Amino acid sequence: MNVNQSAPPVPPFGQNQPIYPGYHQSGYGGQPGPAAPAYGAYNGPLPGYQQTPPQGVPRAPPSSGAPPASTAPAPCGQTTYGQFGQGDIQNGPSSAAQMQRVPGSQQFGSPLAPQVNQPAVLQPYGPPPTSTQVTAQLAGMQISGAVSQAPPSSGLGYGSPTSLASASGSFPNSGPYGSYPQSQAPPVSQTQGHPGVQPPLRSAPPLASMTGPLPPGQGFGSLPASQPNHVSLPPAHAVPPGTQMTGPSVPPPPMHSPQQPGYQLQQNGSFGPARGPQPNYESPYPGTPTFGSQPGPPQPLPPKRLDPDAIPSPIQVIEDDRNNRGSEPFVTGVRGQVPPLVTTNFLVKDQGNASPRYIRCTSYNIPCTSDMAKQAQVPLAAVIKPLARLPLEEASPYVVDHGESGPLRCNRCKAYMCPLMTFIEGGRRFQCSFCSCINDVPPQYFQHLDHTGKRVDAYDRPELSLGSYEFLATVDYCKNNKFPSPPAFIFMIDVSYNAIRTGLVRLLCEELKSLLDYLPREGGAEESAIRVGFVTYNKVLHFYNVKSSLAQPQMMVVSDVADMFVPLLDGFLVNVNESRGVITSLLDQIPEMFADTRETETVFAPVIQAGMEALKAAECAGKLFLFHTSLPIAEAPGKLKNRDDRKLINTDKEKTLFQPQTGTYQTLAKDCVTQGCCVDLFLFPNQYVDVATLSVVPQLTGGSVYKYACFQVENDQERFLSDLRRDVQKVVGFDAVMRVRTSTGIRAVDFFGAFYMSNTTDVELAGLDEDKTVTVEFKHDDRLSEESGALLQCALLYTSCAGQRRLRIHNLALNCCTQLADLYRNCETDTLINYMAKFAYRGVVNSPVKTVRDALITQCAQILACYRKNCASPSSAGQLILPECMKLLPVYLNCVLKSDVLQPGAEVTTDDRAYVRQLVSSMDVAETNVFFYPRLLPLTKSPIDSTTEPPAVRASEERLSSGDIYLLENGLNLFVWVGASVQQGVVQSLFNVSSFSQITSGLSVLPVLDNPLSKKVRSLIDILRAQRMRYMKLIVVKQEDKLEMLFKHFLVEDKSLSGGASYVDFLCHMHKEIRQLLS
């Protein structure tokens, strides 16, 4: 059952459209299918690649298996790296031969080079974008300010061919979400070199053009392709703006020894070009590659492989935005402004539109007609985070009290008073900007207008001058027309054998003694108004009376779990300060009471039922904190069976793994929402617990799920306690209803997130916290006008943690356009990916995963094909042209397609996938950005005394150097990768051991040492953890260690073990799809 509203009559943006016949999804993601001759099977060997080793380099005959191993042993002292099992691959060519990189002044051949194109009209903010073209060719090329032709180069190509073997293998014991133990580590082989180090590209020459002829008879496309950030450059070095790069078309000199400047060789993870030394980067791995010893006749030249530095770089885009937009405040007064990226630190000044911390849109310029929107296929959506936490420098929304009359609203559409309303007739009436209805202004609200038609008190009233504010609600906005009581928190603790044995119950009870002092409270309140209660359970439930007048707590047992009731009212929910002594006594006794339990079975649905009934009896809203360890198999409502079946993956029945086993939990969730009972679930499984079913109630009530697989106190206590503290302390709105109103011409048609909907307009949330977002999709129902734009108003009615009923209002005005170029110029890719991921993750419940993946690729291809056809200047079909604002769409979309929900590896459990699916459904844009494209930070490259975060590098193995240490984070996981050649002093400073071999792999805590490097790294880790909604557990990974497989899973620009494409290959595939649509 899908809890969101049924699909509207207009076909969703993600569906295949009949206007593009002939679209087929062949060979994508490891699926078999007929391959297009130009590209070969996507993700498979590319035609013409395997058989053509580089000229002058002898090698053994090609085989169809794994990449050939070098026969000569590595010289003494040389580091061999990348111990992959048979069939485990790295991103890049399989030829063991090394190609020589051409110097910066050399003319290059470039296969499909994408073009990042910007229409003629410049954006109103930020520097003018560059417009660059790159023509696909297999010959030499010349880069200069003018377009010029260069003769084909007769020398060696700068890249080596790509032949990707099929991927297989599994990660070691610890999966990305803490998977259950695996019985076997992956097999190892000793033959591959380690990727070299390559800095991100810094700048692009303005208005550079790359062109060149195709050799006769050579069709376009049998090559992987790519393109840099902004534009395209020769791959070796960054070029200062205005620099012209020209050079004679001659072959590069033969391979030199590693000592020769400019031609330093290294074992490269892709077996691609040997890279020269780069500025700010240390030298690559020691030693030279070993080649086969059998001489052979000269071979024809292979096709060239494009340098990854020549494709759009997320790191460069992020860096540019920080430099261009991080210093000035973002003022929201102008309609339709595109805000800085979520990765940029910036201040917001509210001058009439909601801050991007509350609302981000996929586009800030909406097509005027539905036909235009269908043509572009860009989803029109807003990601709304109504209770988002603001930085200390920004003021929280003002609270407006209009007394008994309540907030002023439009009589027809019920929109709330906001800066977008127009006052007329001297201020006696106002025209609603949403529905154009003219309303009378009540006498007590009347004020005169100034010479511009604005009220003279506009800047004294938040609702007339700010984009976000709150109204105090009157009794009319309350349930049963009476003001609510303060909410309550109920802690429900599993005391079965598993929970006692792991030490979880003792740890939790100890923590709660101090944590109860930090319950959320209103601004200046001395103590929290929230009351608390306690329940323990296994097969039966135990309620506790902790009334302040008692000397000792009293336990009451309810064994009739089929007909749940609450055995006491008075003394169950209490004020913490009044009953502190009794509560402390109870928390001391619980671990002792159940210390010798042998009960392994648990119930689950009756526990939620009991908590909800307790809140109902107390006539208040609240939150249940459930701590649960195992599949509920005891006889009771909501009993589950183990239905985990990996054989269903990649079949039409795979969707059943994401569906709840029973309808009991949907019914229960609906009752919880009615009562305002939100559920937060903390899971501690040692095996399958059916997260897909257990997470239904948290998901529909606006709650959260936390999962700690194979919980061990010594390893996981910090992560669990940190998550618990944040969850208990964060701001929550209870018993909430949210409605999004729009101006005439568009309407909200679809909603994504953790909530329940009983009708098509109201989003009902038993609880809504500061981390949760609701994503709303809009469609046209009439024509929009460029003059009036499109308006959104999000109104959230909720009960605060002090029991006050409030309305929080967010307003946003967007531009409208009649030209597609204006739409593409004002899109935000990060928000687009957030929407597309949620759309896809919801789709897997009802459709085969392959269908969902294909729909995503089709939609992306249609978006880019429409731009190419209608907005880009005419150019040859061999060019991939990307809009400036969307040049990262392919790399980010590929990360979504490779994610564990849509393409699981062998080590990813069914529970992991269900867990990630519900987690992403309510993530904000910043969280999905780092979740799908993790941050990789070199720790040893920046000066130790530098206080700024080190500049990130691209998430690819080619960027790792064995002489460095890197930190990788994705919002849930945190890795420190240690290269095998790291200096001894660095190892000593960070790990307090004398050599690399003595570092403990899998270490989860860095030793606290009194030296600058240790302090800097630990401080950086603390800063990153503070930015994320979940505590990220640290894992130290050593180069060539078995845990490295897990780390490489997050290097998303490379080909993945589960069959996901590399960024270069996916860009090729997108280009093929776009050309197919255009032809």
Side-chain angles (χ1 to χ4, degrees), residues 953-1030:
V953 295
R954 294 168 68 166
S956 167
E957 197 176 343
E958 293 192 352
R959 309 288 158 170
L960 301 177
S961 155
S962 72
D964 289 315
I965 297 177
Y966 296 82
L967 189 147
L968 183 144
E969 64 116 356
N970 76 336
L972 297 181
N973 306 279
L974 191 63
F975 295 93
V976 169
W977 182 89
V978 187
S981 311
V982 172
Q983 293 173 359
Q984 190 176 332
V986 172
V987 172
Q988 184 73 48
S989 298
L990 210 50
F991 300 100
N992 204 25
V993 295
S994 56
S995 70
F996 173 79
S997 60
Q998 291 176 303
I999 299 170
T1000 307
S1001 181
L1003 195 71
S1004 58
V1005 182
L1006 292 179
V1008 178
L1009 304 174
D1010 189 15
N1011 66 68
L1013 180 63
S1014 177
K1015 287 177 181 172
K1016 179 183 171 182
V1017 172
R1018 286 182 288 110
S1019 166
L1020 176 61
I1021 288 172
D1022 290 342
I1023 290 168
L1024 294 178
R1025 282 173 171 161
Q1027 291 172 1
R1028 304 298 170 211
M1029 64 173 188
R1030 302 285 168 110

Side-chain angles (χ1 to χ4, degrees), residues 59 113 182 211 249 271-272 313 406 411 427 437 453 462 545 627 660 681 684 721 798 817 856 866 886 902 911 1048:
R59 85 171 243 206
Q182 303 265 325
T211 69
S249 180
F271 293 95
S313 160
N411 291 329
C437 175
N545 185 344
F627 304 90
L681 175 60
F684 305 86
L721 294 181
Y798 71 99
C817 59
L856 277 181
C866 176
M886 287 190 187
L902 298 181
D911 276 348
K1048 287 179 181 173

Side-chain angles (χ1 to χ4, degrees), residues 332-412:
T332 70
V334 180
R335 183 177 85 186
Q337 284 183 90
V338 182
L341 298 180
V342 286
T343 44
T344 299
N345 280 329
F346 60 98
L347 281 180
V348 178
K349 287 191 176 171
D350 186 341
Q351 291 191 0
N353 282 296
S355 160
R357 304 192 206 287
Y358 294 123
I359 306 180
R360 278 189 179 264
C361 295
T362 52
S363 179
Y364 289 80
N365 206 330
I366 293 182
C368 280
T369 65
S370 60
D371 289 346
M372 194 171 151
K374 281 176 194 166
Q375 187 182 0
Q377 286 289 309
V378 176
L380 306 176
V383 179
I384 305 173
K385 196 176 185 182
L387 297 179
R389 188 167 44 167
L390 299 180
L392 295 173
E393 301 86 353
E394 294 175 23
S396 296
Y398 289 95
V399 180
V400 180
D401 185 359
H402 281 316
E404 288 183 15
S405 60
L408 186 57
R409 306 175 71 176
C410 169
N411 291 329
R412 184 196 289 162

Side-chain angles (χ1 to χ4, degrees), residues 435-730:
C435 69
S436 304
C437 175
I438 292 176
N439 301 266
D440 292 328
V441 174
Q444 71 274 18
Y445 198 77
F446 172 78
Q447 186 54 271
H448 295 286
L449 308 184
D450 65 13
H451 65 285
T452 65
K454 281 189 90 162
R455 282 173 57 122
V456 295
D457 66 347
Y459 292 106
D460 301 327
R461 290 188 175 273
E463 75 273 23
L464 298 181
S465 56
L466 299 177
S468 301
Y469 44 87
E470 290 197 327
F471 291 120
L472 281 186
T474 59
V475 74
D476 304 336
Y477 291 87
C478 302
K479 223 181 248 180
N480 306 325
N481 278 347
K482 80 181 205 196
F483 286 110
S485 308
F489 283 179
I490 304 177
F491 297 91
M492 318 190 87
I493 306 168
D494 177 348
V495 288
S496 64
Y497 175 73
N498 274 339
I500 298 293
R501 179 185 59 81
T502 57
L504 168 65
V505 174
R506 190 174 296 279
L507 177 72
L508 175 58
C509 290
E510 203 53 47
E511 175 65 23
L512 284 177
K513 289 180 199 172
S514 56
L515 186 55
L516 293 177
D517 290 331
Y518 298 98
L519 298 177
R521 64 190 78 180
E522 283 298 315
E526 284 186 18
E527 64 175 54
S528 174
I530 291 173
R531 293 168 295 162
V532 298
F534 301 89
V535 172
T536 56
Y537 67 94
N538 41 44
K539 267 200 328 197
V540 297
L541 277 76
H542 322 103
F543 292 80
Y544 296 94
N545 185 344
V546 283
K547 198 173 179 181
S548 55
S549 56
L550 295 173
Q552 287 292 321
Q554 295 173 346
M555 179 206 275
M556 298 187 184
V557 180
V558 177
S559 53
D560 184 6
V561 290
D563 185 17
M564 185 47 62
F565 66 98
V566 180
L568 76 161
L569 286 180
D570 190 29
F572 179 63
L573 295 177
V574 296
N575 176 289
V576 173
N577 286 338
E578 290 172 9
S579 298
R580 183 172 299 283
V582 193
I583 291 172
T584 304
S585 173
L586 170 67
L587 294 172
D588 284 335
Q589 289 176 36
I590 286 174
E592 307 306 329
M593 243 187 304
F594 298 99
D596 300 323
T597 186
R598 288 287 170 265
E599 184 57 73
T600 56
E601 292 188 358
T602 57
V603 296
F604 188 73
V607 184
I608 297 174
Q609 179 86 31
M612 183 190 68
E613 296 290 349
L615 293 176
K616 200 174 194 173
E619 296 184 344
C620 69
K623 184 183 272 197
L624 312 182
F625 295 84
L626 245 83
F627 304 90
H628 190 80
T629 59
S630 57
L631 194 69
I633 55 172
E635 276 308 323
K639 172 185 174 180
L640 302 178
K641 62 180 190 294
N642 188 334
R643 53 160 186 169
D644 191 16
D645 186 1
R646 290 194 63 86
K647 291 197 284 294
L648 297 181
I649 292 177
N650 292 328
T651 69
D652 284 351
K653 288 189 175 176
E654 183 174 7
K655 60 190 177 191
T656 60
L657 297 174
F658 297 110
Q659 296 166 356
Q661 265 188 57
T662 160
T664 306
Y665 290 97
Q666 267 114 329
T667 310
L668 182 57
K670 185 179 171 185
D671 295 341
C672 285
V673 171
T674 304
Q675 183 49 47
C677 168
C678 175
V679 179
D680 279 359
L681 175 60
F682 293 78
L683 283 171
F684 305 86
N686 288 332
Q687 53 197 5
Y688 178 75
V689 288
D690 199 350
V691 172
T693 304
L694 297 189
S695 64
V696 165
V697 178
Q699 178 78 3
L700 294 184
T701 59
S704 307
V705 180
Y706 298 82
K707 180 166 164 283
Y708 311 89
C710 301
F711 179 81
Q712 293 175 305
V713 169
E714 57 275 15
N715 292 336
D716 301 300
Q717 107 174 26
E718 192 179 356
R719 178 175 157 226
F720 163 54
L721 294 181
S722 177
D723 284 344
L724 176 62
R725 287 168 195 150
R726 189 164 189 277
D727 197 56
V728 167
Q729 294 174 40
K730 66 186 172 187

